[in-house]
Amino acid sequence: MSVEARRGGVRKQVALPWNKSIEFAYKSVKTRFGRSMVTAGGVFLGIAFLASVLISKAIAGSNIEPGESARLNWLVGLSLAVCVVGITNAMLMSVTERFREIGTMKCLGALDGFVVRIFMLEAVAMGFMASVMGWTVGTLLMVLTKFLVGVPKNAPLGTVWYGSLDWLDLFGVWPVGSFWFCVILGAGLTALATFIPARQAANIPPAAALRTDV
Amino acid sequence: MTMVQEQSQAQTNGAASVNGEKGAEYVVRAKDVTKVFKMGTEEVHALRGISLDIRRGEYISIMGPSGSGKSTFFNMIGGLDKPNNGSVFINDTDMAQLDAQELAFLRCHTIGYIFQTFNLIPVMTALENVTLPTIFAGMPAEEGTHRAIELLETVGLGHRLHNKPSQLSGGQQQRVAIARSLANRPSIILADEPTGNLDEKTGRAIIELLRELNKKENVTIISATHDHKMLDVSDRIVWIRDGLVDKIQNREDIEIQVGGIEEGH
């Protein structure tokens, strides 16, 4: 007897195409927009800080003290770590809240991978938007600060020089690299913080997922 | 004979009859299903060896007080939970032999689920909710939408296609859930307390709708309930008590002893 016959025509469920998953994730983020933005707030702040440090370093160029640079790196690293912990917490709660929805989806034929994929897509989309906004706000605020304080790019080390920052200088350090660095890092960290809660939720049997009352 | 030997004996018998004529007639066959839950250090025997055969096109009510193992048994039939021992066959397929992807396929194509709490996806409209299973089944979008509209019209909600669940009454939500359960033309519909969250009148309407669909689409309906309105429409009533089948009644028997149902239980 063939495998097919023994299983009474039961075949393997096929995974959904990416565009369907993206549509799902989009709908979900859109509907829970306020909630998503609160979750993404941590990423926004972390990335805004990172972007401001990057642009201030770029403006200072070689004039920055090595000790100061190391201190800034440490602060940025720490703030991003805090932000990852914050998103993981928010995601754990959001996933728990949606246990019933996950159980229902699985009853309708969703594979575990699909559930994980939806959560990951939502996370990446949220992380991306928050990072773009964070980068923009962080960079602009730091540039504005530098203008107002008036420390020029090539102030000699250890001297106080009240000149103004030249527009042309700004073009020289215009941070295209920092943009992509910030956005990819922000989206990546959000995805990382979501992965474990999402996989946990996808792995529980549908019966258990449906039993939960939240 | 030890417990284990008995089990394997039962499984062999089950496998042997797969090609027999019995196969086509029965859509669900459960053999000596047992389930133990661990609550801390305590073991709760939810099912102590239930066997039940359900014919194609039947309308079955599974009755029993809460804690009887009714819901657990129900989850076993639906492939939502795995038994510790014994086996469940759906359309002659041994569920224990299926991997995760095959189980998902079975849940998608062969079984339709209706829940006490409706369980519609809150961020989707009625139409999107009913279309969802067809998407999982890989049906082309246009065909899926067409099917969903047709089903929503069948359950009398042709005018509420674009409402979100929060904009619908309980009865309407359950109608959407019924339409959704039928989306992929399943051979079985599992209804877990479908009237549990509804008032008397709405509950009756839902039961009548289920019975109508059972006749029209020739879909087997298995419903866990303690709603006595269900008894009037059921072909058979299975009473479960303490994890075992207490008794099975045919409708004819029920009609004879009207009013005696409470005592019978």
mmCIF file of all heavy atoms in Angstrom, chain A residues 44-94:
data_model
loop_
_atom_site.group_PDB
_atom_site.id
_atom_site.type_symbol
_atom_site.label_atom_id
_atom_site.label_comp_id
_atom_site.label_asym_id
_atom_site.label_seq_id
_atom_site.Cartn_x
_atom_site.Cartn_y
_atom_site.Cartn_z
ATOM 1 N N PHE A 44 12.934 53.309 18.557
ATOM 2 C CA PHE A 44 13.023 54.685 18.098
ATOM 3 C C PHE A 44 14.047 55.465 18.933
ATOM 4 O O PHE A 44 14.966 56.078 18.405
ATOM 5 C CB PHE A 44 11.638 55.339 18.186
ATOM 6 C CG PHE A 44 11.634 56.828 17.992
ATOM 7 C CD1 PHE A 44 11.738 57.369 16.724
ATOM 8 C CD2 PHE A 44 11.558 57.683 19.085
ATOM 9 C CE1 PHE A 44 11.748 58.746 16.545
ATOM 10 C CE2 PHE A 44 11.566 59.054 18.916
ATOM 11 C CZ PHE A 44 11.660 59.590 17.635
ATOM 12 N N LEU A 45 13.921 55.384 20.245
ATOM 13 C CA LEU A 45 14.816 56.141 21.130
ATOM 14 C C LEU A 45 16.257 55.638 21.023
ATOM 15 O O LEU A 45 17.203 56.431 20.920
ATOM 16 C CB LEU A 45 14.317 56.059 22.572
ATOM 17 C CG LEU A 45 12.986 56.772 22.823
ATOM 18 C CD1 LEU A 45 12.494 56.493 24.230
ATOM 19 C CD2 LEU A 45 13.128 58.271 22.605
ATOM 20 N N GLY A 46 16.404 54.318 21.045
ATOM 21 C CA GLY A 46 17.744 53.731 20.956
ATOM 22 C C GLY A 46 18.453 54.150 19.684
ATOM 23 O O GLY A 46 19.623 54.561 19.696
ATOM 24 N N ILE A 47 17.720 54.050 18.568
ATOM 25 C CA ILE A 47 18.321 54.364 17.275
ATOM 26 C C ILE A 47 18.562 55.871 17.146
ATOM 27 O O ILE A 47 19.571 56.316 16.580
ATOM 28 C CB ILE A 47 17.444 53.842 16.120
ATOM 29 C CG1 ILE A 47 17.420 52.315 16.124
ATOM 30 C CG2 ILE A 47 17.922 54.362 14.767
ATOM 31 C CD1 ILE A 47 18.770 51.641 15.896
ATOM 32 N N ALA A 48 17.660 56.671 17.727
ATOM 33 C CA ALA A 48 17.865 58.126 17.696
ATOM 34 C C ALA A 48 19.164 58.487 18.419
ATOM 35 O O ALA A 48 19.961 59.303 17.937
ATOM 36 C CB ALA A 48 16.682 58.845 18.346
ATOM 37 N N PHE A 49 19.414 57.850 19.545
ATOM 38 C CA PHE A 49 20.647 58.082 20.296
ATOM 39 C C PHE A 49 21.861 57.656 19.474
ATOM 40 O O PHE A 49 22.846 58.390 19.328
ATOM 41 C CB PHE A 49 20.574 57.330 21.630
ATOM 42 C CG PHE A 49 21.748 57.568 22.524
ATOM 43 C CD1 PHE A 49 22.305 58.844 22.656
ATOM 44 C CD2 PHE A 49 22.303 56.526 23.258
ATOM 45 C CE1 PHE A 49 23.387 59.074 23.491
ATOM 46 C CE2 PHE A 49 23.393 56.754 24.087
ATOM 47 C CZ PHE A 49 23.930 58.029 24.203
ATOM 48 N N LEU A 50 21.760 56.445 18.894
ATOM 49 C CA LEU A 50 22.867 55.942 18.068
ATOM 50 C C LEU A 50 23.160 56.890 16.917
ATOM 51 O O LEU A 50 24.324 57.250 16.656
ATOM 52 C CB LEU A 50 22.509 54.545 17.527
ATOM 53 C CG LEU A 50 23.463 53.935 16.498
ATOM 54 C CD1 LEU A 50 24.824 53.664 17.114
ATOM 55 C CD2 LEU A 50 22.896 52.644 15.922
ATOM 56 N N ALA A 51 22.104 57.335 16.226
ATOM 57 C CA ALA A 51 22.296 58.210 15.063
ATOM 58 C C ALA A 51 22.930 59.532 15.485
ATOM 59 O O ALA A 51 23.813 60.063 14.790
ATOM 60 C CB ALA A 51 20.947 58.454 14.379
ATOM 61 N N SER A 52 22.507 60.054 16.651
ATOM 62 C CA SER A 52 23.060 61.338 17.091
ATOM 63 C C SER A 52 24.542 61.204 17.426
ATOM 64 O O SER A 52 25.340 62.092 17.130
ATOM 65 C CB SER A 52 22.262 61.874 18.276
ATOM 66 O OG SER A 52 22.549 61.110 19.419
ATOM 67 N N VAL A 53 24.896 60.072 18.022
ATOM 68 C CA VAL A 53 26.314 59.847 18.345
ATOM 69 C C VAL A 53 27.131 59.706 17.064
ATOM 70 O O VAL A 53 28.216 60.282 16.916
ATOM 71 C CB VAL A 53 26.464 58.592 19.242
ATOM 72 C CG1 VAL A 53 27.916 58.148 19.290
ATOM 73 C CG2 VAL A 53 25.947 58.886 20.632
ATOM 74 N N LEU A 54 26.590 58.962 16.096
ATOM 75 C CA LEU A 54 27.316 58.749 14.828
ATOM 76 C C LEU A 54 27.560 60.077 14.116
ATOM 77 O O LEU A 54 28.663 60.328 13.629
ATOM 78 C CB LEU A 54 26.525 57.788 13.922
ATOM 79 C CG LEU A 54 26.546 56.312 14.336
ATOM 80 C CD1 LEU A 54 25.654 55.498 13.401
ATOM 81 C CD2 LEU A 54 27.965 55.757 14.329
ATOM 82 N N ILE A 55 26.510 60.924 14.051
ATOM 83 C CA ILE A 55 26.681 62.182 13.318
ATOM 84 C C ILE A 55 27.614 63.116 14.078
ATOM 85 O O ILE A 55 28.443 63.809 13.465
ATOM 86 C CB ILE A 55 25.313 62.859 13.012
ATOM 87 C CG1 ILE A 55 25.470 64.082 12.089
ATOM 88 C CG2 ILE A 55 24.608 63.330 14.259
ATOM 89 C CD1 ILE A 55 25.664 63.722 10.663
ATOM 90 N N SER A 56 27.543 63.106 15.408
ATOM 91 C CA SER A 56 28.412 64.007 16.161
ATOM 92 C C SER A 56 29.864 63.584 16.012
ATOM 93 O O SER A 56 30.769 64.406 15.925
ATOM 94 C CB SER A 56 27.990 64.069 17.629
ATOM 95 O OG SER A 56 28.698 63.132 18.386
ATOM 96 N N LYS A 57 30.074 62.256 15.929
ATOM 97 C CA LYS A 57 31.442 61.763 15.702
ATOM 98 C C LYS A 57 31.924 62.149 14.305
ATOM 99 O O LYS A 57 33.082 62.527 14.113
ATOM 100 C CB LYS A 57 31.485 60.241 15.834
ATOM 101 C CG LYS A 57 31.630 59.749 17.257
ATOM 102 C CD LYS A 57 31.828 58.245 17.205
ATOM 103 C CE LYS A 57 32.097 57.679 18.570
ATOM 104 N NZ LYS A 57 32.291 56.221 18.457
ATOM 105 N N ALA A 58 30.998 62.046 13.333
ATOM 106 C CA ALA A 58 31.378 62.379 11.958
ATOM 107 C C ALA A 58 31.727 63.862 11.842
ATOM 108 O O ALA A 58 32.675 64.239 11.133
ATOM 109 C CB ALA A 58 30.231 62.031 11.012
ATOM 110 N N ILE A 59 30.963 64.705 12.554
ATOM 111 C CA ILE A 59 31.246 66.143 12.517
ATOM 112 C C ILE A 59 32.571 66.434 13.197
ATOM 113 O O ILE A 59 33.398 67.205 12.701
ATOM 114 C CB ILE A 59 30.088 66.928 13.189
ATOM 115 C CG1 ILE A 59 28.833 66.848 12.319
ATOM 116 C CG2 ILE A 59 30.481 68.393 13.389
ATOM 117 C CD1 ILE A 59 27.594 67.413 12.974
ATOM 118 N N ALA A 60 32.819 65.793 14.310
ATOM 119 C CA ALA A 60 34.065 66.029 15.037
ATOM 120 C C ALA A 60 35.264 65.498 14.270
ATOM 121 O O ALA A 60 36.375 66.029 14.383
ATOM 122 C CB ALA A 60 33.967 65.378 16.413
ATOM 123 N N GLY A 61 35.052 64.459 13.487
ATOM 124 C CA GLY A 61 36.135 63.890 12.709
ATOM 125 C C GLY A 61 37.246 63.384 13.612
ATOM 126 O O GLY A 61 36.984 62.714 14.611
ATOM 127 N N SER A 62 38.493 63.781 13.298
ATOM 128 C CA SER A 62 39.619 63.267 14.068
ATOM 129 C C SER A 62 39.841 64.061 15.351
ATOM 130 O O SER A 62 40.749 63.785 16.113
ATOM 131 C CB SER A 62 40.892 63.315 13.214
ATOM 132 O OG SER A 62 41.079 64.646 12.769
ATOM 133 N N ASN A 63 38.994 65.067 15.568
ATOM 134 C CA ASN A 63 39.198 65.919 16.737
ATOM 135 C C ASN A 63 38.647 65.321 18.026
ATOM 136 O O ASN A 63 38.829 65.893 19.090
ATOM 137 C CB ASN A 63 38.526 67.282 16.509
ATOM 138 C CG ASN A 63 39.196 68.004 15.382
ATOM 139 O OD1 ASN A 63 40.420 67.997 15.282
ATOM 140 N ND2 ASN A 63 38.416 68.607 14.516
ATOM 141 N N ILE A 64 37.924 64.205 17.917
ATOM 142 C CA ILE A 64 37.321 63.652 19.117
ATOM 143 C C ILE A 64 38.363 62.931 19.967
ATOM 144 O O ILE A 64 39.282 62.286 19.435
ATOM 145 C CB ILE A 64 36.156 62.720 18.748
ATOM 146 C CG1 ILE A 64 35.287 62.465 19.968
ATOM 147 C CG2 ILE A 64 36.650 61.424 18.147
ATOM 148 C CD1 ILE A 64 33.916 61.984 19.627
ATOM 149 N N GLU A 65 38.250 63.093 21.257
ATOM 150 C CA GLU A 65 39.165 62.419 22.179
ATOM 151 C C GLU A 65 38.883 60.930 22.181
ATOM 152 O O GLU A 65 37.711 60.525 22.222
ATOM 153 C CB GLU A 65 38.927 62.939 23.603
ATOM 154 C CG GLU A 65 39.844 64.053 24.041
ATOM 155 C CD GLU A 65 39.573 64.400 25.487
ATOM 156 O OE1 GLU A 65 40.188 63.769 26.355
ATOM 157 O OE2 GLU A 65 38.717 65.266 25.726
ATOM 158 N N PRO A 66 39.890 60.054 22.197
ATOM 159 C CA PRO A 66 39.651 58.606 22.181
ATOM 160 C C PRO A 66 38.832 58.148 23.390
ATOM 161 O O PRO A 66 37.948 57.302 23.266
ATOM 162 C CB PRO A 66 41.049 58.004 22.232
ATOM 163 C CG PRO A 66 41.978 59.107 21.829
ATOM 164 C CD PRO A 66 41.315 60.406 22.168
ATOM 165 N N GLY A 67 39.087 58.708 24.542
ATOM 166 C CA GLY A 67 38.347 58.323 25.750
ATOM 167 C C GLY A 67 36.872 58.644 25.623
ATOM 168 O O GLY A 67 36.007 57.834 25.959
ATOM 169 N N GLU A 68 36.591 59.801 25.091
ATOM 170 C CA GLU A 68 35.218 60.252 24.895
ATOM 171 C C GLU A 68 34.496 59.336 23.908
ATOM 172 O O GLU A 68 33.333 58.960 24.102
ATOM 173 C CB GLU A 68 35.249 61.703 24.373
ATOM 174 C CG GLU A 68 33.916 62.280 23.955
ATOM 175 C CD GLU A 68 32.971 62.520 25.127
ATOM 176 O OE1 GLU A 68 33.407 62.319 26.272
ATOM 177 O OE2 GLU A 68 31.816 62.863 24.878
ATOM 178 N N SER A 69 35.212 58.969 22.852
ATOM 179 C CA SER A 69 34.635 58.092 21.827
ATOM 180 C C SER A 69 34.243 56.739 22.422
ATOM 181 O O SER A 69 33.152 56.230 22.183
ATOM 182 C CB SER A 69 35.649 57.910 20.702
ATOM 183 O OG SER A 69 35.159 57.026 19.745
ATOM 184 N N ALA A 70 35.139 56.193 23.243
ATOM 185 C CA ALA A 70 34.875 54.882 23.843
ATOM 186 C C ALA A 70 33.671 54.966 24.792
ATOM 187 O O ALA A 70 32.823 54.069 24.831
ATOM 188 C CB ALA A 70 36.108 54.405 24.606
ATOM 189 N N ARG A 71 33.599 56.082 25.536
ATOM 190 C CA ARG A 71 32.499 56.260 26.472
ATOM 191 C C ARG A 71 31.148 56.307 25.731
ATOM 192 O O ARG A 71 30.160 55.717 26.146
ATOM 193 C CB ARG A 71 32.697 57.563 27.261
ATOM 194 C CG ARG A 71 31.903 57.644 28.550
ATOM 195 C CD ARG A 71 32.283 58.883 29.327
ATOM 196 N NE ARG A 71 31.833 60.094 28.656
ATOM 197 C CZ ARG A 71 30.648 60.663 28.871
ATOM 198 N NH1 ARG A 71 29.800 60.135 29.721
ATOM 199 N NH2 ARG A 71 30.288 61.751 28.220
ATOM 200 N N LEU A 72 31.168 57.011 24.591
ATOM 201 C CA LEU A 72 29.949 57.109 23.784
ATOM 202 C C LEU A 72 29.524 55.738 23.255
ATOM 203 O O LEU A 72 28.349 55.374 23.283
ATOM 204 C CB LEU A 72 30.165 58.079 22.621
ATOM 205 C CG LEU A 72 30.089 59.563 22.981
ATOM 206 C CD1 LEU A 72 30.437 60.412 21.771
ATOM 207 C CD2 LEU A 72 28.706 59.923 23.501
ATOM 208 N N ASN A 73 30.519 54.973 22.774
ATOM 209 C CA ASN A 73 30.199 53.632 22.246
ATOM 210 C C ASN A 73 29.539 52.780 23.322
ATOM 211 O O ASN A 73 28.569 52.073 23.079
ATOM 212 C CB ASN A 73 31.471 52.933 21.771
ATOM 213 C CG ASN A 73 31.986 53.545 20.488
ATOM 214 O OD1 ASN A 73 31.292 54.334 19.853
ATOM 215 N ND2 ASN A 73 33.217 53.208 20.125
ATOM 216 N N TRP A 74 30.092 52.853 24.510
ATOM 217 C CA TRP A 74 29.591 52.083 25.637
ATOM 218 C C TRP A 74 28.143 52.477 25.957
ATOM 219 O O TRP A 74 27.281 51.614 26.144
ATOM 220 C CB TRP A 74 30.535 52.312 26.825
ATOM 221 C CG TRP A 74 30.007 51.855 28.148
ATOM 222 C CD1 TRP A 74 29.711 52.638 29.217
ATOM 223 C CD2 TRP A 74 29.723 50.511 28.550
ATOM 224 N NE1 TRP A 74 29.249 51.871 30.252
ATOM 225 C CE2 TRP A 74 29.242 50.560 29.868
ATOM 226 C CE3 TRP A 74 29.809 49.268 27.907
ATOM 227 C CZ2 TRP A 74 28.865 49.434 30.568
ATOM 228 C CZ3 TRP A 74 29.426 48.138 28.610
ATOM 229 C CH2 TRP A 74 28.970 48.217 29.922
ATOM 230 N N LEU A 75 27.900 53.771 25.969
ATOM 231 C CA LEU A 75 26.548 54.258 26.260
ATOM 232 C C LEU A 75 25.543 53.797 25.201
ATOM 233 O O LEU A 75 24.430 53.364 25.518
ATOM 234 C CB LEU A 75 26.538 55.793 26.334
ATOM 235 C CG LEU A 75 26.974 56.404 27.654
ATOM 236 C CD1 LEU A 75 26.980 57.924 27.561
ATOM 237 C CD2 LEU A 75 26.035 55.943 28.772
ATOM 238 N N VAL A 76 25.958 53.902 23.944
ATOM 239 C CA VAL A 76 25.064 53.489 22.855
ATOM 240 C C VAL A 76 24.761 51.999 22.947
ATOM 241 O O VAL A 76 23.597 51.571 22.857
ATOM 242 C CB VAL A 76 25.680 53.820 21.477
ATOM 243 C CG1 VAL A 76 24.909 53.126 20.373
ATOM 244 C CG2 VAL A 76 25.684 55.307 21.249
ATOM 245 N N GLY A 77 25.799 51.216 23.185
ATOM 246 C CA GLY A 77 25.627 49.761 23.299
ATOM 247 C C GLY A 77 24.644 49.418 24.409
ATOM 248 O O GLY A 77 23.725 48.618 24.237
ATOM 249 N N LEU A 78 24.836 50.084 25.541
ATOM 250 C CA LEU A 78 23.978 49.828 26.692
ATOM 251 C C LEU A 78 22.528 50.200 26.391
ATOM 252 O O LEU A 78 21.592 49.454 26.701
ATOM 253 C CB LEU A 78 24.490 50.649 27.884
ATOM 254 C CG LEU A 78 24.076 50.158 29.253
ATOM 255 C CD1 LEU A 78 24.660 48.771 29.513
ATOM 256 C CD2 LEU A 78 24.560 51.133 30.320
ATOM 257 N N SER A 79 22.335 51.341 25.754
ATOM 258 C CA SER A 79 20.963 51.781 25.477
ATOM 259 C C SER A 79 20.279 50.828 24.497
ATOM 260 O O SER A 79 19.086 50.555 24.606
ATOM 261 C CB SER A 79 20.948 53.214 24.953
ATOM 262 O OG SER A 79 21.364 53.244 23.615
ATOM 263 N N LEU A 80 21.065 50.277 23.543
ATOM 264 C CA LEU A 80 20.460 49.330 22.601
ATOM 265 C C LEU A 80 20.108 48.018 23.305
ATOM 266 O O LEU A 80 19.076 47.403 23.010
ATOM 267 C CB LEU A 80 21.397 49.077 21.422
ATOM 268 C CG LEU A 80 21.514 50.251 20.440
ATOM 269 C CD1 LEU A 80 22.525 49.944 19.351
ATOM 270 C CD2 LEU A 80 20.163 50.591 19.822
ATOM 271 N N ALA A 81 20.944 47.605 24.256
ATOM 272 C CA ALA A 81 20.657 46.379 25.007
ATOM 273 C C ALA A 81 19.365 46.560 25.808
ATOM 274 O O ALA A 81 18.501 45.676 25.833
ATOM 275 C CB ALA A 81 21.820 46.034 25.933
ATOM 276 N N VAL A 82 19.217 47.710 26.435
ATOM 277 C CA VAL A 82 17.992 48.001 27.194
ATOM 278 C C VAL A 82 16.789 47.954 26.263
ATOM 279 O O VAL A 82 15.724 47.426 26.593
ATOM 280 C CB VAL A 82 18.092 49.382 27.881
ATOM 281 C CG1 VAL A 82 16.735 49.802 28.447
ATOM 282 C CG2 VAL A 82 19.128 49.349 28.983
ATOM 283 N N CYS A 83 16.979 48.481 25.067
ATOM 284 C CA CYS A 83 15.875 48.515 24.104
ATOM 285 C C CYS A 83 15.476 47.108 23.658
ATOM 286 O O CYS A 83 14.288 46.811 23.539
ATOM 287 C CB CYS A 83 16.249 49.476 22.962
ATOM 288 S SG CYS A 83 16.051 48.891 21.318
ATOM 289 N N VAL A 84 16.456 46.194 23.493
ATOM 290 C CA VAL A 84 16.127 44.817 23.112
ATOM 291 C C VAL A 84 15.329 44.136 24.227
ATOM 292 O O VAL A 84 14.329 43.449 23.969
ATOM 293 C CB VAL A 84 17.407 44.007 22.797
ATOM 294 C CG1 VAL A 84 17.088 42.520 22.668
ATOM 295 C CG2 VAL A 84 18.042 44.501 21.515
ATOM 296 N N VAL A 85 15.739 44.346 25.474
ATOM 297 C CA VAL A 85 15.009 43.757 26.603
ATOM 298 C C VAL A 85 13.571 44.284 26.616
ATOM 299 O O VAL A 85 12.616 43.520 26.808
ATOM 300 C CB VAL A 85 15.725 44.075 27.941
ATOM 301 C CG1 VAL A 85 14.865 43.623 29.117
ATOM 302 C CG2 VAL A 85 17.067 43.386 27.982
ATOM 303 N N GLY A 86 13.424 45.581 26.372
ATOM 304 C CA GLY A 86 12.088 46.189 26.349
ATOM 305 C C GLY A 86 11.199 45.596 25.272
ATOM 306 O O GLY A 86 10.038 45.269 25.530
ATOM 307 N N ILE A 87 11.737 45.404 24.072
ATOM 308 C CA ILE A 87 10.903 44.849 22.986
ATOM 309 C C ILE A 87 10.553 43.396 23.270
ATOM 310 O O ILE A 87 9.432 42.971 23.015
ATOM 311 C CB ILE A 87 11.617 44.902 21.611
ATOM 312 C CG1 ILE A 87 12.214 46.274 21.349
ATOM 313 C CG2 ILE A 87 10.652 44.569 20.493
ATOM 314 C CD1 ILE A 87 13.176 46.241 20.191
ATOM 315 N N THR A 88 11.522 42.632 23.808
ATOM 316 C CA THR A 88 11.229 41.230 24.122
ATOM 317 C C THR A 88 10.051 41.160 25.084
ATOM 318 O O THR A 88 9.123 40.366 24.905
ATOM 319 C CB THR A 88 12.451 40.541 24.761
ATOM 320 O OG1 THR A 88 13.585 40.792 23.945
ATOM 321 C CG2 THR A 88 12.234 39.050 24.869
ATOM 322 N N ASN A 89 10.076 42.010 26.082
ATOM 323 C CA ASN A 89 8.986 42.049 27.056
ATOM 324 C C ASN A 89 7.650 42.393 26.380
ATOM 325 O O ASN A 89 6.648 41.701 26.563
ATOM 326 C CB ASN A 89 9.317 43.078 28.143
ATOM 327 C CG ASN A 89 8.250 43.121 29.209
ATOM 328 O OD1 ASN A 89 7.670 42.096 29.548
ATOM 329 N ND2 ASN A 89 7.979 44.314 29.717
ATOM 330 N N ALA A 90 7.668 43.420 25.571
ATOM 331 C CA ALA A 90 6.439 43.832 24.877
ATOM 332 C C ALA A 90 5.939 42.716 23.968
ATOM 333 O O ALA A 90 4.732 42.457 23.880
ATOM 334 C CB ALA A 90 6.692 45.096 24.076
ATOM 335 N N MET A 91 6.857 42.030 23.294
ATOM 336 C CA MET A 91 6.482 40.958 22.365
ATOM 337 C C MET A 91 5.930 39.754 23.113
ATOM 338 O O MET A 91 4.972 39.121 22.657
ATOM 339 C CB MET A 91 7.696 40.533 21.532
ATOM 340 C CG MET A 91 7.954 41.464 20.385
ATOM 341 S SD MET A 91 6.539 41.450 19.243
ATOM 342 C CE MET A 91 6.963 42.813 18.197
ATOM 343 N N LEU A 92 6.528 39.435 24.265
ATOM 344 C CA LEU A 92 6.011 38.319 25.061
ATOM 345 C C LEU A 92 4.558 38.577 25.432
ATOM 346 O O LEU A 92 3.712 37.684 25.343
ATOM 347 C CB LEU A 92 6.838 38.151 26.338
ATOM 348 C CG LEU A 92 8.096 37.292 26.220
ATOM 349 C CD1 LEU A 92 8.914 37.352 27.504
ATOM 350 C CD2 LEU A 92 7.729 35.849 25.913
ATOM 351 N N MET A 93 4.261 39.796 25.819
ATOM 352 C CA MET A 93 2.896 40.134 26.193
ATOM 353 C C MET A 93 1.969 40.113 24.986
ATOM 354 O O MET A 93 0.856 39.603 25.053
ATOM 355 C CB MET A 93 2.849 41.507 26.864
ATOM 356 C CG MET A 93 3.242 41.435 28.321
ATOM 357 S SD MET A 93 3.620 43.043 28.996
ATOM 358 C CE MET A 93 2.069 43.868 28.776
ATOM 359 N N SER A 94 2.444 40.660 23.902
ATOM 360 C CA SER A 94 1.613 40.725 22.699
ATOM 361 C C SER A 94 1.310 39.320 22.168
ATOM 362 O O SER A 94 0.202 39.034 21.722
ATOM 363 C CB SER A 94 2.326 41.587 21.652
ATOM 364 O OG SER A 94 2.081 41.140 20.372
#
